[in-house]
């Protein structure tokens, strides 16, 4: 890299994805409540209700992270907050691939796939400034056409 990357933090997922996830959670909750009302008429044990509730709670937990996940890129590392925070030092990167479908950023989240000696990491971003830094990291170029 010829120039250092800027230190930036931004959301990992665009508003459209957050809205779709919100609609999914509302629909899941509505179907759960209506199903629960029908199941109450039948004589099921508490284990059945627990088995139906756990997947809903797992979906709601992941939904919370979609809403508040952030991606940070700095001179020395990339960090993404998620259920388990991901962090990769730039000096450990052995291979870089940027997946970015122009004009569809609102639904296909741009992502940077990094291969290190410890494994493969995927970082999403909804921030245009971070995407520019991802592009600089992947291609070694800066300030290409605006997205």
């Amino acid at each position: 890299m010829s120039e250092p990357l800027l230190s930036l933090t931004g959301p990992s997922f665009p508003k459209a994805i957050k809205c779709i996830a919100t609609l999914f959670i509302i629909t899941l909750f509505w179907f759960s409540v209506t199903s629960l009302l029908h199941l109450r008429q039948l004589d099921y044990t508490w284990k059945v209700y627990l088995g139906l509730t756990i997947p809903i709670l797992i979906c709601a937990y992941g939904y919370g992270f979609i809403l508040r996940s952030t991606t940070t890129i700095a001179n020395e590392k990339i960090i993404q907050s998620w259920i388990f925070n991901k962090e990769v030092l730039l000096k450990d990167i052995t291979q870089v691939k940027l997946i970015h479908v122009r004009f569809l950023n609102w639904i296909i989240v741009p992502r940077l796939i990094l291969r290190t000696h410890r494994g493969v990491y995927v970082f999403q971003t909804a921030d245009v400034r971070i995407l520019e830094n991802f592009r600089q990291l992947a291609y070694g170029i800066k300030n290409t056409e605006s997205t």
Side-chain angles (χ1 to χ4, degrees), residues 5-22:
L5 300 172
L6 297 173
S7 180
L8 299 168
T9 299
S12 297
F13 297 96
K15 290 179 183 174
I17 295 294
K18 292 177 183 181
C19 289
I20 291 169
T22 301

Side-chain angles (χ1 to χ4, degrees), residues 11-13 65 69-72 78-88 112 122-125 134:
S12 297
F13 297 96
F65 282 101
S69 177
T70 60
T71 303
T72 302
I78 301 174
I79 303 167
Q80 184 171 357
S81 63
W82 188 241
I83 295 171
F84 301 105
N85 289 348
K86 297 181 275 187
E87 182 175 324
V88 172
L112 187 71
V122 179
F123 294 91
Q124 294 88 3
T125 188
F134 280 2

Side-chain angles (χ1 to χ4, degrees), residues 1 5 72-80 85-96 112-121 123 134 137:
M1 286 180 290
L5 300 172
T72 302
I73 187 166
N75 259 345
E76 66 279 350
K77 59 186 165 183
I78 301 174
I79 303 167
Q80 184 171 357
N85 289 348
K86 297 181 275 187
E87 182 175 324
V88 172
L89 295 174
L90 295 180
K91 67 180 182 177
D92 294 339
I93 298 172
T94 58
Q95 187 178 13
V96 178
L112 187 71
I113 302 172
L114 303 175
R115 184 177 303 272
T116 68
H117 295 293
R118 297 183 326 198
V120 176
Y121 298 88
F123 294 91
F134 280 2
L137 185 64

Side-chain angles (χ1 to χ4, degrees), residues 3-130:
E3 296 182 33
L5 300 172
L6 297 173
S7 180
L8 299 168
T9 299
S12 297
F13 297 96
K15 290 179 183 174
I17 295 294
K18 292 177 183 181
C19 289
I20 291 169
T22 301
L23 289 174
F24 173 78
I25 287 296
I26 290 170
T27 304
L28 181 64
F29 181 74
W30 182 77
F31 278 123
S32 301
V33 169
T34 56
S35 297
L36 196 61
L37 294 175
H38 291 295
L39 287 176
R40 281 186 66 169
Q41 297 171 353
L42 304 171
D43 191 23
Y44 283 114
T45 65
W46 63 272
K47 294 177 185 177
V48 172
Y49 295 111
L50 183 65
L52 294 172
T53 304
I54 289 175
I56 294 166
L57 293 176
I58 291 170
C59 288
Y61 187 67
Y63 167 70
F65 282 101
I66 287 174
L67 292 181
R68 67 175 189 226
S69 177
T70 60
T71 303
T72 302
I73 187 166
N75 259 345
E76 66 279 350
K77 59 186 165 183
I78 301 174
I79 303 167
Q80 184 171 357
S81 63
W82 188 241
I83 295 171
F84 301 105
N85 289 348
K86 297 181 275 187
E87 182 175 324
V88 172
L89 295 174
L90 295 180
K91 67 180 182 177
D92 294 339
I93 298 172
T94 58
Q95 187 178 13
V96 178
K97 183 175 186 178
L98 177 64
I99 298 176
H100 175 223
V101 181
R102 289 190 188 273
F103 308 112
L104 291 178
N105 289 351
W106 61 277
I107 192 71
I108 301 174
V109 182
R111 61 200 70 219
L112 187 71
I113 302 172
L114 303 175
R115 184 177 303 272
T116 68
H117 295 293
R118 297 183 326 198
V120 176
Y121 298 88
V122 179
F123 294 91
Q124 294 88 3
T125 188
D127 190 304
V128 176
R129 299 169 305 147
I130 294 175

